[in-house]
Amino acid sequence: MSALRILVPVKRVIDYAVKPRVNKAQTGVETAGVKHSMNPFDELSVEESVRIREKKSAPGGVEDICVISAGPPKAADVLRTAMAMGADRAVHVDVKEGEDLEPLTVAKLLRAAVEREKSNLVILGKQSIDDDAAQTGQMLAGLLGWPQATQASQVRFEDGNRVLVTKEVDGGVETVAAKLPMVITTDLRLNEPRYASLPNIMKAKKKPLVKLSLSDLGVANERRLKVVKVTEPTPRQGGGKVEDVDGLISKLKELGAL
Amino acid sequence: MSCSSRLTPVLRRTIAPCLLRSANASNCVPCAARRISSTATRRLRTSPRRCAKFTTDTYPEIKRDPRFAQITKEHVAFFRELLGKDSALVDGVTADVSLEDMEPYNGDWMRKYRGHCKLVLKPGSTEEVSKILKYCNDNMLAVVPQGGNTGLVGGSIPVFDEIVVNTSRMNKIRFFDEVSGVLVADAGVILEVADQFLAEKGYIFPLDLGAKGSCHIGGNVATNAGGLRLLRYGSLHGTVLGIEAVLPDGTIVDDLGRLRKNNTGYDLKQLFIGGEGTIGMITAVSIHCPQRPKAVNVAYLGAESYEQLQQAFREAKNHLSEILSAFEMMDSYSQDLVYKVRQNKRLLEGEYPFYCLIETSGSNPTHDSEKLEAFLDQLMTEGIVSDGVVAQDETQIKSMWAQREGVPECLGHWGGVYKYDVSIPLSDLYRLVDETRERIEKAGLKGDTDEFPVVEVAGYGHMGDSNLHLNVAVRRYDKRVEEVLEPFVYEWISKVNGSISAEHGLGIAKKNYIGFSRSETMINLMKQIKALYDPNGIMNPYKYL
Ligand SMILES: Cc1cc2nc3c(=O)[nH]c(=O)nc-3n(C[C@H](O)[C@H](O)[C@H](O)COP(=O)(O)OP(=O)(O)OC[C@H]3O[C@@H](n4cnc5c(N)ncnc54)[C@H](O)[C@@H]3O)c2cc1C
């Protein structure tokens, strides 16, 4: 089996635990001064790649784990985190703050990156939690003409470049097999990402981080979609509180339920 | 495909961190709480798994004060009339109330204290509190003020049949000034509710502790709780700007000032802060709240010795200075028990005798990260700590805090805990834990099987404030264990000029030991204050002094 050269795309998004707020102009969510972290699904991809190496689960071994992120200068932070988790090196594709890329553009730049890095396995999150598009992995597979296994909950390797991917479907699990090179997207049950340890954070600082521009990868930020408006969900009608049973009964009577 | 599967991405997303980290944070916050709170939350169970012994059996030397009247039907009728609704009282005097309904007011969370209370009153206003106390004072009925009942020294639990006056119905936020950060709220507002209210406005409550989901801010002030960020925001003696309280004779002390500076006479509100309900009942609090930090970082480190931990603390002050907001220490015994109870994954790969949790809070993430990195860099290169992890996102921050905040709860897992909350000069701090463990082991009281009362002797606490929690986790409370522990622990502390109660207060647990930390003169002055404000002694009797 050929040695794995894994490409792991990661995205910097508003922290999962922070409540996003719509900006005043209703054109997007407020990002300034808001805590950002790695997209949780991408943490799973990084963790899985590192585990494949540590557990020696691929017969040909892992030759390279390269993480890539397209985003503003701060995207370098999540790349460092990924390297602290165990990735070997990073590629930062510089995109100006606020210039979001559509999934197709991301897929195109990843295709170019796959060629550049000679990757034979791409592990991506099934979606990023900011725009929830859940398209990039599929488009990338299409552009490359590679097989894809989406929403992986388990990844196993066999001889002859065969990869078995299990995914959770309604009422059970489904296992698919394909041959390398291929694209895998990750789902929540795949693993439990590790914490970045101090020694590894320090090592990560010394790992190579290459900066590229979109044009280096031969893509332009073409937009096909226009965001018309972003609004908050309609606020939930708060429930009322009653003091005691008598209060409950009179309230129910008042509402005509009794 | 059925439509449920089309929904899954959305559903999964909503539950992501819980699934992702469930093994790490067994007290994972529901995701609706998408807010910046750096510590995990939990509601404490009030109903004891095993019924505790009556306090009167544990302390047979305490006798009911014969001056106090027995509660009669007439008394209850007065209160019922005053409070106006049935839900405002739990009446075990004239009505049948199941043990279960009374238990939350009669027992504590550690299953250590249990009273014989027959009547719980839940006033809805300061005026009602005033009328209740006046009536009790006139009729010689003893009273126990009660908030969230999370106190750790038995202060909120009646000993005999004292009437519990509970603040849970006084739960309104009265005022908030977005410019100065001054919050005025009823005593019964739950700490976490107050903090969530403030979070919306970009502010933070200057106190945070593991019991935040249950404790009331009135209770916090009455115990002068210290908590996890005293290091940063200081004690309630400084942040509380004003208090509204009711004296036993019904006088409403309206000192609800909103000023940071007010040098006009004796600062009487200070007597209620940490007064543990012995001179009056706090009904509202005015408090100065700081800006909520925009950038919070947490690191969890492992060290080979207590000396290294002290070095790390020095360096933390040196490097992190104004952004350092918590420095918490935990020994391996306390951490191992948490892992054992919660069965979660270890934060660090290796095992170390000591761990610490360091938090920074600031306004500029880049600035803070730079400082933190330089600090951690130095710790590692100089070999001050052996390993550590740094939280990369909010969810990891919560899991790391859960590993510290979960200690008290997990230590109680086997049945009970002897708790000593003490202030000791830093250099001596951990020696007390070692020496206590040695004594317990020598007495043959500690072991893995049921015949041994003691499970483990653990130390953890707010190292940044020289505050140690020495905890002895037990399968049952046992006189032999007590005899090994007391007065040994108190004498030890007295010898190093420590305090036998750093932040949990005196209550019933430490009433008899105050002499180890306070002189005769000081105690007499305190008794004069008590006699002045509560001449009949109806407020929280048998405790404190
Ligand atoms: C898991 C856990 C973690 C904790 N961590 C810390 C910590 O880090 N730091 C710390 O300092 N403490 C800590 N504590 C103990 C702390 O003292 C209490 O949690 C809290 O401050 C008490 O608030 P409460 O509303 O529960 O008060 P209660 O337990 O109901 O009452 C405590 C005392 O105050 C009196 N009292 C209550 N309300 C009033 C009132 N309105 N007027 C007058 N007197 C009143 C009661 O009579 C009693 O003496 C912890 C407790 C738990 C269970």
Side-chain angles (χ1 to χ4, degrees):
Chain A
M1 182 176 183
S2 34
L4 288 179
R5 293 184 59 84
I6 311 176
L7 184 71
V8 185
V10 297
K11 188 174 185 184
R12 178 175 175 267
V13 298
I14 291 183
D15 192 283
Y16 179 79
V18 174
K19 185 172 185 246
R21 287 180 199 278
V22 173
N23 64 15
K24 287 220 175 67
Q26 295 198 318
T27 54
V29 294
E30 202 61 73
T31 53
V34 177
K35 171 142 180 139
H36 283 65
S37 310
M38 195 192 299
N39 177 36
F41 291 100
D42 302 344
E43 282 189 304
L44 300 162
S45 316
V46 177
E47 177 66 32
E48 193 61 20
S49 311
V50 178
R51 284 192 193 184
I52 293 170
R53 167 180 280 157
E54 288 173 349
K55 299 204 165 133
K56 299 189 170 42
S57 43
V62 177
E63 186 181 298
D64 178 51
I65 302 172
C66 175
V67 283
I68 179 168
S69 187
K74 281 264 165 215
D77 292 353
V78 295
L79 290 172
R80 290 281 171 213
T81 301
M83 288 193 284
M85 288 172 74
D88 301 318
R89 60 202 180 89
V91 174
H92 179 192
V93 183
D94 206 14
V95 178
K96 276 208 204 81
E97 188 84 54
E99 279 190 16
D100 291 347
L101 306 178
E102 284 180 8
L104 183 57
T105 314
V106 179
K108 282 179 181 169
L109 83 81
L110 289 178
R111 174 180 59 180
V114 163
E115 279 155 17
R116 200 187 122 99
E117 309 303 338
K118 303 194 172 41
S119 319
N120 54 9
L121 175 62
V122 184
I123 306 184
L124 327 71
K126 70 168 183 181
Q127 71 195 90
S128 70
I129 63 165
D130 50 359
D131 53 23
D132 279 344
Q135 299 167 6
T136 309
Q138 291 88 329
M139 286 180 175
L140 174 64
L143 291 172
L144 288 166
W146 289 4
Q148 58 173 312
T150 53
Q151 302 177 23
S153 61
Q154 195 189 29
V155 178
R156 280 172 299 153
F157 294 84
E158 285 184 347
D159 283 329
N161 287 345
R162 235 164 82 96
V163 184
L164 293 169
V165 174
T166 304
K167 46 181 169 177
E168 291 180 358
V169 294
D170 269 4
V173 292
E174 178 180 281
T175 302
V176 295
K179 277 199 165 176
L180 289 175
M182 72 179 294
V183 171
I184 296 175
T185 70
T186 57
D187 208 345
L188 288 173
R189 264 182 246 273
L190 182 57
N191 57 49
E192 193 188 314
R194 69 194 61 198
Y195 295 92
S197 78
L198 273 185
N200 288 335
I201 288 173
M202 287 167 70
K203 273 187 223 147
K205 281 192 207 158
K206 301 202 179 78
K207 291 184 179 175
L209 189 155
V210 176
K211 257 196 174 180
L212 297 178
S213 65
L214 284 177
S215 57
D216 290 337
L217 293 170
V219 287
N221 186 5
E222 283 165 28
R223 297 198 64 90
R224 302 184 175 204
L225 297 171
K226 186 174 181 318
V227 175
V228 183
K229 197 175 172 190
V230 179
T231 52
E232 303 256 3
T234 36
R236 203 177 71 90
Q237 290 284 320
K241 244 189 180 169
V242 290
E243 283 270 348
D244 47 22
V245 176
D246 288 346
L248 178 67
I249 290 170
S250 62
K251 191 80 196 167
L252 288 174
K253 277 188 181 149
E254 189 187 311
L255 294 171
L258 279 184
Chain B
M1 276 266 166
S2 69
C3 61
S4 77
S5 88
R6 257 174 279 139
L7 276 177
T8 36
V10 185
L11 286 178
R12 293 250 170 101
R13 174 182 170 179
T14 333
I15 52 175
C18 299
L19 287 181
L20 225 52
R21 307 268 181 218
S22 53
N24 282 335
S26 59
N27 53 353
C28 195
V29 195
C31 302
R34 250 187 161 230
R35 77 212 141 75
I36 311 189
S37 159
S38 44
T39 58
T41 173
R42 107 184 38 107
R43 274 176 184 278
L44 296 164
R45 308 152 21 102
T46 30
S47 55
R49 238 174 304 157
R50 261 173 256 172
C51 248
K53 244 164 79 174
F54 283 114
T55 308
T56 45
D57 292 337
T58 318
Y59 298 87
E61 65 279 9
I62 303 178
K63 298 280 178 269
R64 188 179 184 282
D65 189 332
R67 292 180 305 149
F68 295 138
Q70 303 281 350
I71 309 171
T72 63
K73 271 191 224 146
E74 289 69 37
H75 297 145
V76 178
F78 170 86
F79 292 126
R80 195 179 292 276
E81 165 92 30
L82 171 70
L83 297 174
K85 40 174 88 125
D86 281 344
S87 61
L89 64 181
V90 187
D91 169 17
V93 180
T94 62
D96 253 348
V97 172
S98 73
L99 210 62
E100 236 167 72
D101 287 343
M102 200 49 106
E103 205 57 43
Y105 308 96
N106 243 338
D108 75 319
W109 166 80
M110 295 178 296
R111 299 179 287 277
K112 199 163 180 188
Y113 305 98
R114 193 162 162 226
H116 300 271
C117 170
K118 291 196 195 67
L119 182 64
V120 180
L121 305 177
K122 300 181 190 171
S125 68
T126 306
E127 288 66 36
E128 286 180 2
V129 174
S130 165
K131 286 180 183 145
I132 289 171
L133 291 193
K134 182 170 175 8
Y135 184 84
C136 289
N137 200 39
D138 292 345
N139 291 279
M140 285 304 284
L141 292 164
V143 167
V144 175
Q146 190 177 73
N149 203 4
T150 68
L152 298 173
V153 288
S156 52
I157 310 292
V159 179
F160 297 95
D161 56 348
E162 298 92 275
I163 297 173
V164 166
V165 183
N166 184 290
T167 47
S168 58
R169 280 183 66 239
M170 301 180 65
N171 54 10
K172 287 186 196 52
I173 289 177
R174 297 191 189 175
F175 169 87
F176 181 68
D177 179 358
E178 302 226 7
V179 179
S180 64
V182 174
L183 174 82
V184 181
D186 285 355
V189 172
I190 290 172
L191 175 59
E192 187 168 46
V193 172
D195 189 56
Q196 269 166 8
F197 170 86
L198 291 163
E200 288 290 313
K201 318 266 180 198
Y203 283 85
I204 187 170
F205 202 89
L207 169 78
D208 188 11
L209 44 78
K212 62 172 151 290
S214 305
C215 62
H216 295 183
I217 59 172
N220 296 144
V221 172
T223 53
N224 185 25
L228 305 163
R229 297 209 178 73
L230 186 128
L231 176 68
R232 175 62 172 274
Y233 301 123
S235 112
L236 291 173
H237 278 299
T239 48
V240 171
L241 304 177
I243 273 181
E244 180 190 82
V246 177
L247 297 181
D249 66 2
T251 305
I252 296 175
V253 182
D254 182 359
D255 186 21
L256 218 40
R258 298 173 188 175
L259 307 170
R260 289 210 75 182
K261 300 175 116 179
N262 183 10
N263 285 354
T264 48
Y266 298 125
D267 191 3
L268 294 180
K269 69 169 183 290
Q270 299 296 353
L271 295 177
F272 294 90
I273 304 175
E276 296 182 42
T278 54
I279 55 171
M281 178 129 181
I282 300 168
T283 50
V285 174
S286 159
I287 186 160
H288 183 245
C289 303
Q291 199 72 35
R292 203 171 193 84
K294 286 207 185 73
V296 175
N297 287 302
V298 171
Y300 179 96
L301 314 173
E304 290 295 352
S305 70
Y306 179 66
E307 283 62 43
Q308 289 187 334
L309 219 52
Q310 290 185 70
Q311 245 175 307
F313 180 47
R314 278 254 25 205
E315 293 301 331
K317 286 194 290 186
N318 190 14
H319 277 90
L320 304 172
S321 53
E322 83 286 356
I323 60 168
L324 181 64
S325 55
F327 194 109
E328 298 285 310
M329 80 102 153
M330 296 137 288
D331 66 4
S332 58
Y333 303 97
S334 69
Q335 293 300 276
D336 289 350
L337 290 185
V338 174
Y339 290 123
K340 205 164 175 177
V341 173
R342 297 197 168 158
Q343 309 257 314
N344 54 340
K345 204 175 98 186
R346 286 188 165 268
L347 293 177
L348 303 182
E349 261 172 41
E351 296 186 19
Y352 302 91
F354 292 94
Y355 302 90
C356 65
L357 183 152
I358 299 175
E359 184 193 73
T360 66
S361 307
S363 57
N364 182 336
T366 321
H367 165 264
D368 294 6
S369 307
E370 237 169 62
K371 278 188 164 181
L372 185 66
E373 268 179 31
F375 161 66
L376 295 173
D377 231 58
Q378 192 192 342
L379 289 190
M380 284 303 285
T381 34
E382 293 192 2
I384 298 173
V385 299
S386 312
D387 194 8
V389 285
V390 182
Q392 302 294 319
D393 54 45
E394 276 300 312
T395 315
Q396 293 190 353
I397 288 182
K398 289 206 179 93
S399 318
M400 289 182 193
W401 266 116
Q403 198 56 33
R404 160 63 184 87
E405 287 193 287
V407 174
E409 199 178 317
C410 291
L411 286 179
H413 179 78
W414 285 266
V417 191
Y418 288 98
K419 281 177 169 295
Y420 299 92
D421 150 53
V422 301
S423 271
I424 300 176
L426 261 190
S427 53
D428 291 318
L429 188 112
Y430 196 75
R431 207 155 49 81
L432 174 62
V433 185
D434 278 337
E435 289 184 21
T436 306
R437 187 177 308 112
E438 249 167 60
R439 275 177 71 88
I440 293 274
E441 277 169 357
K442 219 183 251 162
L445 294 169
K446 183 174 152 244
D448 289 335
T449 47
D450 221 31
E451 74 226 60
F452 298 98
V454 177
V455 179
E456 196 50 88
V457 179
Y460 61 98
H462 315 299
M463 185 157 168
D465 317 323
S466 303
N467 183 180
L468 170 78
H469 294 319
L470 164 66
N471 280 201
V472 181
V474 291
R475 298 186 171 87
R476 57 198 164 265
Y477 293 110
D478 185 318
K479 267 276 175 249
R480 287 176 303 159
V481 179
E482 242 154 81
E483 278 159 14
V484 174
L485 292 171
E486 293 174 20
F488 163 75
V489 171
Y490 296 123
E491 285 171 359
W492 199 99
I493 292 162
S494 178
K495 259 187 271 165
V496 296
N497 292 321
S499 167
I500 60 150
S501 181
E503 58 173 15
H504 293 165
L506 296 165
I508 194 150
K510 296 186 181 171
K511 170 193 158 80
N512 291 336
Y513 302 101
I514 181 170
F516 285 98
S517 291
R518 296 284 198 184
S519 69
E520 196 66 32
T521 318
M522 290 304 295
I523 296 170
N524 280 333
L525 285 171
M526 290 187 208
K527 284 187 172 155
Q528 285 174 22
I529 298 276
K530 166 81 178 169
L532 178 67
Y533 287 109
D534 182 22
N536 289 345
I538 63 158
M539 296 303 294
N540 223 351
Y542 319 111
K543 298 168 191 158
Y544 203 66
L545 279 173

